[in-house]
Amino acid sequence: MVGNYFKVTVRNLLKNKLFSITNIAGLGIGIACCLLILLFVNYEMSYEKWNPYADRIYRPHMDINFGGSVMTAAVAGAPIAPDAAAELPEIENWCRFRDYGSYLVRVEGTGISNFSEDAILTVDSTFFDLFPVKLLAGDKRTALTLPNTLVMSKSQALKYFGTVDQAMGKVLILENEEPWEVKGVYENIPPSTHFKADFLLSMNGNEEVANAPPLWAANNNFHTYLLLKEGTDGKIFEEKFDALSKQKMEETSSQLLGMTLAEFEATGQYARYGVQKMKDIHLHSDLQVELEPNGSFKYVLIFSAIALFVLLIACINFMNLTTAKSTQRSKEIGIRKVLGSNRQKLISQFFSETFIMTFLSVLLALSLAAIAMPWFNELTTRDISIPWTNASFWLVLIGGMIVVSLVAGSYPAIFLSSFDPIQSLQPARSKQGKHGRLRSSLVVFQFAIAITLIIGTMLIYNQLQFIQSKKLGFNKEQVIVIDDAYALEGNLNAFKQKILQEPTVSSATISSYLPIPSSRSNTTYSQSREFRQDHALNMQRWLVDHDYLNTIGMTIKEGRYFDRAFPTDSQAVILNEAAIKILGYTNPVGKKIYGLTGNLQGPPAPDDFIEYHIVGIVEDFHFESLRETIGPLGMFLGRSAGRLAIRYQAADSKNLLKTIEDSWNGMAPDQPFSYQFMDESFGRMYLAERRIGSIAMIFSILAIFVSCLGLFGLASFITEQRTKEIGIRKVLGASISGVVALLSKDFLKLVLISMVIAIPFAWWAMNNWLQDFAYRTNFKWQIFVLAGILALAIAFLTISFQSIKAALINPVDSIKSE
Amino acid sequence: MIKTTNLTKIYQTDEVETTALNEVNIEIKEGEFVSVMGPSGCGKSTLLNVLGMIDNPTSGEYYFNGEEVGHLPERKRSNVRKHNLGFVFQSFNLIDELTVFENVELPMLYTKVPSAERKTRVEELLEGMNIMHRRNHFPQQLSGGQQQRVAVARAIVNRPKLILADEPTGNLDSANGDEVMKILSELNASGTTILMVTHSQYCAEFGNLIIRMLDGQVVTENVVKQYL
């Protein structure tokens, strides 16, 4: 019997090629989307799974609102780990990471140039106890115990030394001066880890740790990991840690501010530390100062929903096409029933048909997914592959195939098997009726999803456009940023002067602090020479030179910018409007603020403060992503040689770049030259949004495409059913356009209904998404209209092919069709 | 074999009620060849459908081999059908996607006849109908006469006790029509009961009893020839 079903299915597929292709292609695309997204979701969920201790590792994080700044960051002070381990017996071991950003690295004693490496972490010697990566050479117990020793990943060992063994005992020169001996080589850390580390430097000898103040709420620079003893209840540990944090904050508050924690918190400010599970970091942690950009559980959900929708659209296509074609199958169904087949048998026949189609679709989907994978990886910035040899992958795939067959096949099977044998044996009768209505609702559902996706895509792009064109308070266009400028060492100023001689260069500034992803540090200032919570201003401290304002293009609102004519400017500060607001100064220019010197070891004395006079107010500018509101910021004259920003006036930057690179190579021949355009780096802050935009766009195109496949198939069958009617109408004088309108009208009505459903839903969903942005675009009604027109136009084009064809048939032929 | 008492079938569409069968009482004995005649719309086909158990009567009883089957659920009806009845239609109703061989074989798949026996039976029948050489062709590649012979072969392959034929010669020329009537007569001669609806007096006279219908009622029953 199964053989008979199979034969009929295959012959039916071959007989109705258009139907088969639309059905299989639609379902194939739907399954391919789902497959890609599920692999992505699986990858996102697999973070830290390689680490057998992952469940037992917790990371302390800070949550401080003080002096006008809110910091919720993945870092903590250096003493937190040893303190907590001493107080809480649950802690078995701990390890701290200090991320100092990128380093220039070269091998000692060779003429090979520096590489700029950014996956470098300074870690405690316990690293391998918490992160058991296999050591290919060296001893994990001693590899990181001595000062100025490091271990490196296999890939880096191969890059610098050719083999793992060659690397052992060699010396790398960091930042052109510090020698670090290679004491071990480890297997590359799996990419599904929330940090990247190609080099691990020994924490032993680290001055920051050695000089760290004993107070918790200072020097929050360390990513800290606590390994709990086996069997520890995480909830209880979290509570105990919170209690400890409270006790420590109490000490800090009384020592630094001279008040109790309750008094401090009564001002609306707070300072606390908590712990989070390491396994939650990748998808559930959205803190400042993460080691790597994390994933987002929300986006995992959104992507899954979109994939499910595309699959659902494809399943609906399948139902619609199969039931629409029922007139062609009804005779067979009738005969089978007359010959003794019962309904169950017919249902199982149609399910087996669906299963065969699904199987073919899955084959297609696998090929599509394999082809799209490199591109998909680029889009998601992940390293995902189809696990061809993984048994559970195939089990899930087969399971999925059965589920899809059941979803897509149930309605057709129940519908087709319900045919009355007598009716089905009568010549071609239209079996529209209530099933026609159900089909229409399914089309409405499909298009509602597709239109929602179109609106979503448009709004995402609209928001990105808004960000790009928003008045930022500075000029991001036509600025080249040279990275790692400190590599020029003593030549940096000479280099700057040389570049300034270029006719197209108008100004240049040396600073590590730029309104693009770059160095950030918060420092607390006071309105007086005492440390009081109500006098505090916790703001970003940017070290800049005299040319900064000209080059980056901010506006001075009051007072002036730093000027070489004023030697006292070394003790001057320029604040932004947000900082002034926190200080509450009415005529700020000429007023003073006070900063602390050195590290806090206890309550500061008046002499511990340095006085700065305010010389100017800079208009608020967006130095962080537009997701954040503008925080307080102070600019100080000082040297921070991280980057050189160059403003130029030329349509073509190619020649200028060539000149800059030549000058660089002349002055620092062994140092890597790298640059970025400020507007591009600015755009990179919205990478996640761009990615969402691209994914939403691609999936909406696919959703529309698959919906149109269904519509196309449906239109061709409906047109076929109405062939006789069309003939009669034409005989009676209907024009071609009249016939096209007649056939299109019903479908376009459905698309209109879809719009009515989709618009409020899209509005709600996108409104939610926009809440992530502190600065957001308004909903424009034009977007909804445009999305609607687009959907209508696409639907009309799809249908018109069939309806024009039908309208052009010679009426005699159409009348004969029955 | 067949006995009906007050068999009635009423079709209800929105506001119109059509009585297709109006208290029909007939009896057909095993081995008979009964022809049903009457003008279009008199209820011949409805009678055939109800007796063929592909439709339920609205009221009245239908006894098949002594068992009331008129009000059985579809599941049970299909079971009685596949073991006891064979159908021949005016428009042949072969499945286009199946070959001649597969079409004839199909009923045996539903009655779970073993594969080897299915092959023997189909080949015997096709041989007998003189269409063996067409066994791998699809219905649309055959002439009308050939298609109807395939349909007849399919109707009898499960060796049914009763064959229901709805104008089996209606779409055929006279030569092919004669051929089909000859086959039906031979089947009847070998013991199969036949109930045939026809418009043609000539065909009707192949039977031994002619039932004439008008407006859903049996008007006359003429015995054409008496079996001895």
Side-chain angles (χ1 to χ4, degrees):
Chain A
M1 188 52 92
V2 173
N4 183 273
Y5 294 162
F6 184 75
K7 263 186 288 198
V8 174
T9 307
V10 171
R11 286 174 195 164
N12 254 318
L13 286 179
L14 293 174
K15 191 169 140 194
N16 303 292
K17 290 198 184 67
L18 178 73
F19 164 81
S20 316
I21 290 168
T22 40
N23 235 347
I24 293 173
L27 206 52
I29 292 171
I31 295 173
C33 290
C34 227
L35 195 62
L36 284 176
I37 298 269
L38 285 181
L39 287 171
F40 168 75
V41 170
N42 183 50
Y43 187 89
E44 292 294 279
M45 304 292 244
S46 75
Y47 268 67
E48 325 298 345
K49 275 196 182 149
W50 64 269
N51 185 340
Y53 307 130
D55 283 326
R56 286 158 53 198
I57 297 178
Y58 283 70
R59 182 174 77 174
H61 57 83
M62 59 179 274
D63 188 7
I64 292 179
N65 176 352
F66 180 63
S69 273
V70 180
M71 274 289 274
T72 312
V75 282
I80 285 190
D83 281 1
E87 300 276 343
L88 306 171
E90 289 86 352
I91 298 173
E92 181 180 306
N93 208 339
W94 49 269
C95 180
R96 293 166 303 190
F97 298 176
R98 177 68 170 99
D99 179 11
Y100 288 104
S102 68
Y103 282 81
L104 296 172
V105 180
R106 66 181 155 84
V107 181
E108 187 191 46
T110 60
I112 300 167
S113 313
N114 269 322
F115 288 99
S116 178
E117 300 287 357
D118 53 11
I120 300 189
L121 294 174
T122 303
V123 300
D124 284 309
S125 61
T126 48
F127 180 86
F128 293 105
D129 297 332
L130 277 78
F131 304 92
V133 192
K134 195 179 166 203
L135 223 60
L136 302 171
D139 183 347
K140 74 168 194 157
R141 286 165 304 177
T142 57
L144 287 166
T145 48
L146 298 174
N148 277 53
T149 56
L150 64 78
V151 288
M152 64 201 298
S153 70
K154 184 181 168 191
S155 59
Q156 294 298 331
L158 298 182
K159 175 170 128 190
Y160 281 88
F161 301 103
T163 67
V164 168
D165 294 336
Q166 284 286 318
M168 290 298 288
K170 295 277 165 46
V171 171
L172 289 175
I173 304 294
L174 269 54
E175 302 295 273
N176 290 323
E177 50 187 14
E178 311 160 23
W180 290 77
E181 189 190 343
V182 181
K183 297 283 273 184
V185 176
Y186 53 90
E187 194 63 79
N188 293 337
I189 295 176
S192 53
T193 310
H194 73 279
F195 60 88
K196 285 199 178 77
D198 286 333
F199 299 86
L200 300 169
L201 311 185
S202 166
M203 188 78 86
N204 191 351
N206 181 290
E207 286 185 8
E208 208 181 334
V209 172
N211 301 330
L215 297 174
W216 274 30
N219 201 15
N220 289 301
N221 288 324
F222 293 84
H223 293 88
T224 305
Y225 299 86
L226 310 173
L227 173 65
L228 305 191
K229 285 181 184 147
E230 222 157 336
T232 305
D233 185 321
K235 273 267 164 306
I236 293 174
F237 175 73
E238 280 173 36
E239 283 165 19
K240 287 179 85 170
F241 188 91
D242 287 348
L244 178 64
S245 146
K246 209 161 188 179
Q247 179 199 326
K248 293 287 180 184
M249 287 306 103
E250 191 74 66
E251 289 168 16
T252 308
S253 180
S254 69
Q255 282 195 31
L256 281 184
L257 302 169
M259 54 169 63
T260 65
L261 188 60
E263 284 167 342
F264 171 63
E265 284 179 350
T267 65
Q269 305 180 95
Y270 51 81
R272 51 189 172 233
Y273 289 83
V275 282
Q276 60 184 159
K277 279 187 190 161
M278 188 172 77
K279 273 199 151 172
D280 287 344
I281 291 176
H282 181 65
L283 285 182
H284 299 278
S285 173
D286 186 21
L287 303 176
Q288 291 160 282
V289 209
E290 294 280 1
L291 286 163
E292 288 291 321
N294 282 333
S296 152
F297 192 63
K298 189 164 92 181
Y299 284 149
V300 165
L301 286 183
I302 293 175
F303 287 2
S304 310
I306 292 178
L308 206 66
F309 278 148
V310 177
L311 185 63
L312 209 56
I313 288 179
C315 285
I316 289 175
N317 263 359
F318 189 92
M319 297 181 203
N320 269 346
L321 289 174
T322 312
T323 53
K325 214 173 68 84
S326 59
T327 40
Q328 287 185 6
R329 294 296 294 275
S330 68
K331 190 174 99 176
E332 179 196 336
I333 297 158
I335 296 167
R336 283 186 185 269
K337 281 202 162 176
V338 167
L339 293 180
S341 173
N342 57 37
R343 195 163 172 189
Q344 281 70 21
K345 283 218 175 86
L346 280 168
I347 287 179
S348 51
Q349 175 185 350
F350 288 116
F351 267 127
S352 11
E353 284 195 25
T354 309
F355 194 76
I356 292 168
M357 302 268 277
T358 313
F359 176 73
L360 294 174
S361 310
V362 167
L363 290 186
L364 175 69
L366 281 172
S367 338
L368 288 177
I371 293 167
M373 196 51 99
W375 160 88
F376 185 71
N377 275 334
E378 202 175 304
L379 190 67
T380 54
T381 60
R382 296 288 184 271
D383 183 21
I384 306 167
S385 55
I386 299 178
W388 299 108
T389 53
N390 184 336
S392 47
F393 167 73
W394 291 104
L395 275 179
V396 170
L397 196 69
I398 291 168
M401 204 150 85
I402 292 170
V403 171
V404 168
S405 303
L406 288 179
V407 171
S410 53
Y411 169 55
I414 291 163
F415 171 63
L416 291 172
S417 64
S418 72
F419 282 4
D420 182 324
I422 299 170
Q423 278 191 5
S424 37
L425 288 176
Q426 275 163 7
R429 280 183 64 175
S430 161
K431 292 176 184 64
Q432 278 286 43
K434 73 173 200 272
H435 291 291
R437 273 200 293 284
L438 180 59
R439 260 200 307 275
S440 304
S441 336
L442 290 174
V443 170
V444 167
F445 182 68
Q446 278 185 314
F447 268 82
I449 294 174
I451 293 171
T452 306
L453 288 174
I454 295 181
I455 294 175
T457 310
M458 285 178 158
L459 266 169
I460 291 172
Y461 276 90
N462 202 36
Q463 172 69 12
L464 287 174
Q465 190 63 37
F466 171 78
I467 289 168
Q468 305 282 1
S469 59
K470 181 159 177 18
K471 202 164 162 282
L472 296 167
F474 66 96
N475 184 359
K476 67 182 181 343
E477 312 297 332
Q478 297 203 307
V479 177
I480 296 172
V481 178
I482 310 295
D483 298 320
D484 300 330
Y486 55 87
L488 288 162
E489 300 180 340
N491 284 333
L492 182 51
N493 268 324
F495 179 70
K496 179 179 164 187
Q497 292 311 319
K498 192 162 181 214
I499 300 299
L500 279 171
Q501 282 163 18
E502 285 299 312
T504 51
V505 171
S506 57
S507 64
T509 181
I510 299 167
S511 174
S512 303
Y513 303 91
L514 292 172
I516 54 174
S518 58
S519 293
R520 295 283 187 263
S521 74
N522 259 24
T523 313
T524 303
Y525 294 85
S526 179
Q527 294 180 24
S528 56
R529 281 187 185 272
E530 56 183 327
F531 206 81
R532 275 170 51 180
Q533 60 79 20
D534 55 342
H535 278 189
L537 167 65
N538 193 13
M539 66 177 177
Q540 294 217 357
R541 171 189 167 86
W542 285 23
L543 295 179
V544 297
D545 65 10
H546 288 98
D547 302 311
Y548 193 84
L549 190 85
N550 278 344
T551 312
I552 310 301
M554 294 91 164
T555 314
I556 289 291
K557 196 184 167 202
E558 250 178 80
R560 60 172 176 86
Y561 188 68
F562 299 120
D563 195 327
R564 289 186 177 86
F566 296 90
T568 53
D569 273 3
S570 61
Q571 295 302 307
V573 62
I574 291 169
L575 297 175
N576 72 351
E577 294 169 278
I580 296 296
K581 205 171 152 202
I582 291 163
L583 289 171
Y585 290 168
T586 37
N587 288 309
V589 175
K591 295 221 165 100
K592 311 258 191 299
I593 59 167
Y594 300 88
L596 279 167
T597 56
N599 278 316
L600 277 183
Q601 301 287 339
D607 285 350
D608 287 339
F609 289 92
I610 307 173
E611 184 183 283
Y612 295 95
H613 56 279
I614 302 169
V615 294
I617 311 300
V618 64
E619 268 181 22
D620 275 345
F621 62 98
H622 288 276
F623 54 88
E624 304 272 22
S625 149
L626 266 73
R627 279 183 291 264
E628 326 278 345
T629 47
I630 298 174
L633 173 111
M635 294 197 244
F636 300 80
L637 261 189
R639 187 178 155 88
S640 65
R643 283 165 169 160
L644 176 70
I646 301 161
R647 176 163 295 283
Y648 63 96
Q649 252 92 38
D652 183 18
S653 56
K654 254 195 207 123
N655 290 331
L656 178 61
L657 267 174
K658 178 87 183 62
T659 320
I660 297 174
E661 190 172 358
D662 288 346
S663 316
W664 175 281
N665 289 338
M667 292 187 180
D670 293 333
Q671 312 301 337
F673 174 75
S674 86
Y675 68 92
Q676 48 186 320
F677 288 98
M678 195 151 85
D679 52 349
E680 286 172 12
S681 313
F682 177 83
R684 231 170 287 139
M685 289 203 266
Y686 306 99
L687 210 61
E689 284 73 25
R690 261 168 220 288
R691 214 181 296 153
I692 294 300
S694 312
I695 290 179
M697 179 160 78
I698 285 151
F699 282 100
S700 8
I701 290 172
L702 285 175
I704 280 280
F705 178 72
V706 175
S707 302
C708 284
L709 274 184
L711 201 60
F712 180 78
L714 206 55
S716 70
F717 285 110
I718 301 284
T719 312
E720 200 178 292
Q721 276 189 341
R722 295 177 74 172
T723 307
K724 188 174 177 188
E725 177 197 338
I726 294 165
I728 295 169
R729 282 177 186 272
K730 283 187 76 181
V731 168
L732 296 177
S735 66
I736 289 175
S737 58
V739 170
V740 172
L742 172 84
L743 290 169
S744 310
K745 199 182 63 195
D746 290 347
F747 285 111
L748 297 184
K749 223 188 300 173
L750 298 182
V751 178
L752 278 173
I753 297 172
S754 316
M755 272 167 67
V756 172
I757 295 171
I759 286 173
F761 179 70
W763 186 87
W764 170 81
M766 292 318 292
N767 209 18
N768 263 348
W769 180 78
L770 279 174
Q771 297 306 317
D772 283 358
F773 291 85
Y775 303 90
R776 48 186 176 260
T777 173
N778 292 321
F779 276 93
K780 294 200 182 85
W781 60 268
Q782 289 94 328
I783 286 186
F784 296 100
V785 173
L786 199 65
I789 291 174
L790 203 66
L792 273 178
I794 294 170
F796 181 73
L797 274 177
T798 311
I799 305 157
S800 59
F801 176 77
Q802 291 297 338
S803 48
I804 291 172
K805 203 171 88 181
L808 289 175
I809 294 178
N810 198 347
V812 177
D813 298 330
S814 354
I815 292 172
K816 268 199 292 200
S817 83
E818 288 198 7
Chain B
M1 177 179 239
I2 287 175
K3 187 175 187 302
T4 67
T5 41
N6 301 329
L7 200 63
T8 302
K9 177 76 189 178
I10 297 164
Y11 289 113
Q12 191 98 36
T13 49
D14 292 340
E15 287 160 20
V16 190
E17 207 175 69
T18 317
T19 307
L21 292 178
N22 191 357
E23 304 199 333
V24 172
N25 296 293
I26 55 166
E27 196 174 348
I28 298 169
K29 296 192 185 68
E30 206 162 330
E32 280 193 318
F33 187 152
V34 179
S35 305
V36 181
M37 296 194 71
S40 290
C42 71
K44 313 183 290 286
S45 292
T46 306
L47 179 65
L48 199 76
N49 290 339
V50 172
L51 296 183
M53 291 175 234
I54 53 178
D55 204 354
N56 274 331
T58 312
S59 65
E61 281 101 51
Y62 166 28
Y63 296 94
F64 183 80
N65 279 340
E67 189 194 351
E68 211 290 314
V69 293
H71 301 282
L72 287 180
E74 164 59 19
R75 203 185 168 81
K76 288 195 173 151
R77 274 193 287 154
S78 90
N79 206 32
V80 178
R81 214 158 54 211
K82 69 184 172 195
H83 289 107
N84 297 293
L85 307 184
F87 287 85
V88 179
F89 301 94
Q90 177 180 0
S91 51
F92 325 133
N93 280 336
L94 299 172
I95 295 181
D96 297 336
E97 286 74 30
L98 296 178
T99 62
V100 166
F101 183 96
E102 289 158 0
N103 261 295
V104 178
E105 185 194 25
L106 187 60
M108 291 188 287
L109 291 176
Y110 290 117
T111 50
K112 300 202 168 70
V113 175
S115 159
E117 193 185 339
R118 291 204 300 266
K119 189 163 181 282
T120 328
R121 278 209 232 168
V122 174
E123 282 174 356
E124 261 173 33
L125 277 172
L126 293 180
E127 206 73 69
M129 302 272 179
N130 203 19
I131 36 175
M132 189 57 184
H133 60 293
R134 294 286 201 166
R135 53 174 291 175
N136 290 325
H137 286 70
F138 286 93
Q140 55 274 29
Q141 297 169 310
L142 305 181
S143 73
Q146 287 170 328
Q147 288 193 45
Q148 195 59 302
R149 272 181 280 156
V150 175
V152 172
R154 186 181 64 182
I156 61 176
V157 72
N158 259 338
R159 295 166 188 162
K161 297 189 180 75
L162 171 66
I163 286 179
L164 298 142
D166 193 354
E167 302 201 34
T169 60
N171 277 0
L172 301 176
D173 59 27
S174 60
N176 276 314
D178 273 353
E179 182 73 25
V180 167
M181 288 317 299
K182 209 178 112 207
I183 296 169
L184 289 177
S185 297
E186 283 165 12
L187 281 170
N188 179 240
S190 64
T192 312
T193 313
I194 293 175
L195 178 66
M196 177 179 75
V197 165
T198 182
H199 274 296
S200 143
Q201 183 67 32
Y202 168 74
C203 289
E205 285 174 4
F206 279 84
N208 65 307
L209 179 70
I210 299 178
I211 294 175
R212 287 182 197 279
M213 291 184 72
L214 186 66
D215 297 339
Q217 289 179 309
V218 174
V219 192
T220 58
E221 289 187 35
N222 296 339
V223 176
V224 181
K225 47 194 160 191
Q226 196 75 48
Y227 289 105
L228 294 173

